[in-house]
Amino acid sequence: MADELVHYDVVGGTATITLDSPHNRNALSSQLRRELSDSLAKAAADDAVRVIVLTHTGPVFCAGMDLKEARGAGAGDQGVNEFPKILEQLWTSPKPVVARLAGPARAGGIGMVAACDIAVAVPEATFAFSEVRIGVVPAVISLTVLPRLNPRAAHELFLTGDTFDARRAVEIGLLNSATSDLDAEVARFVKALAAGGPTALAETKALLSRPRPATPSEGFEEMLGLSAKFFASEEGQEGILAFAQKRKPSWVPQD
């Protein structure tokens, strides 16, 4: 549709979700939030999709919430009330999600970057938790951002609202890499992620988000059950057989 703000495309097992609202720097308007949530749900439900790439048109990845829509609205009518659903969809997606940034991200846009499993940007991309500069709090995005950042950097950047570059974003844990060859780097990660078993990837994503037991011994029983289950599963047995036969498992997309 010509008037859609989020495009959805699937090629070779990769679902590409593209934010296409450059007139307002891909701000999280009500229409964009709705279409983005629908696209994420579609990708999660499609067995043919192995990996999701979240990207954008225009010079900016995402400027955060649409401040024009926020102006004059009461607390119960703010668009940010709908944003946790999108962050939850990204964070808990059974399919790995790669963020591809060819430009800056601000505020809620960084929240989405942090909610993705892998994030790659061009070196020129910049970032800022600009909320305090306009008298609001980076509350919702803190739930995805803070697990990624080292604490000292989080305090500095949340409290000052200062702009930082892609190099520092890598150093503090927000990005996996910053590279001028963005598409090649994204393709590298997509290929690596698609090599994993679909069910194993989903369970490993869930594992990464679980609270850690106080000591390893407190978690061994549960983790042993999970490990043994997957060794004996249809997917695990296929992977073991493929390894023995020196071939790719059946779930790996064909080149």
Side-chain angles (χ1 to χ4, degrees):
M1 293 175 59
D3 59 349
E4 69 182 9
L5 301 183
V6 177
H7 308 307
Y8 181 85
D9 186 45
V10 179
V11 176
T14 300
T16 301
I17 298 175
T18 306
L19 309 182
D20 185 19
S21 185
H23 71 280
N24 67 351
R25 304 191 304 160
N26 289 316
L28 293 159
S29 64
S30 57
Q31 180 184 345
L32 188 142
R33 293 192 307 270
R34 180 177 66 253
E35 293 180 8
L36 175 55
S37 180
D38 289 347
S39 293
L40 289 169
K42 185 187 298 185
D46 187 350
D47 289 341
V49 171
R50 299 296 321 285
V51 181
I52 301 168
V53 174
L54 178 62
T55 186
H56 63 104
T57 65
V60 176
F61 173 74
C62 178
M65 299 306 300
D66 190 326
L67 298 183
K68 288 184 177 179
E69 292 184 353
R71 194 180 305 149
D77 297 320
Q78 290 289 341
V80 71
N81 291 311
E82 300 173 359
F83 195 38
K85 178 182 178 182
I86 291 172
L87 296 181
E88 180 77 6
Q89 285 177 290
L90 290 166
W91 190 273
T92 65
S93 167
K95 320 294 174 67
V97 186
V98 179
R100 176 192 176 278
L101 286 77
R106 297 289 186 270
I110 306 179
M112 293 198 298
V113 172
C116 295
D117 300 290
I118 304 289
V120 181
V122 294
E124 299 77 24
T126 61
F127 305 84
F129 300 103
S130 51
E131 287 88 346
V132 293
R133 297 283 180 98
I134 61 168
V136 299
V137 177
V140 172
I141 69 166
S142 71
L143 298 173
T144 59
V145 171
L146 292 183
R148 306 295 192 202
L149 302 194
N150 74 56
R152 279 294 183 192
H155 278 249
E156 173 197 342
L157 298 171
F158 270 47
L159 292 171
T160 65
D162 283 347
T163 300
F164 56 101
D165 61 18
R167 177 192 58 78
R168 184 150 193 225
V170 172
E171 290 175 354
I172 64 177
L174 180 64
L175 295 178
N176 293 86
S177 63
T179 174
S180 298
D181 200 348
L182 188 61
D183 289 333
E185 184 75 338
V186 170
R188 180 178 74 84
F189 277 117
V190 167
K191 182 177 181 180
L193 292 166
T199 309
L201 283 170
E203 189 61 43
T204 301
K205 277 199 62 169
L207 175 68
L208 288 166
S209 296
R210 291 185 184 185
R212 302 291 186 269
T215 64
S217 60
E218 292 180 24
F220 279 140
E221 183 176 356
E222 181 184 3
M223 292 299 100
L224 175 58
L226 180 61
S227 185
K229 172 185 173 182
F230 270 82
F231 268 103
S233 71
E234 181 178 346
E235 186 172 284
Q237 289 295 304
E238 162 61 11
I240 292 168
L241 182 61
F243 179 81
Q245 295 177 344
K246 295 182 173 56
R247 62 172 174 81
K248 293 180 180 180
S250 59
W251 60 73
V252 176
Q254 298 298 313
D255 294 329

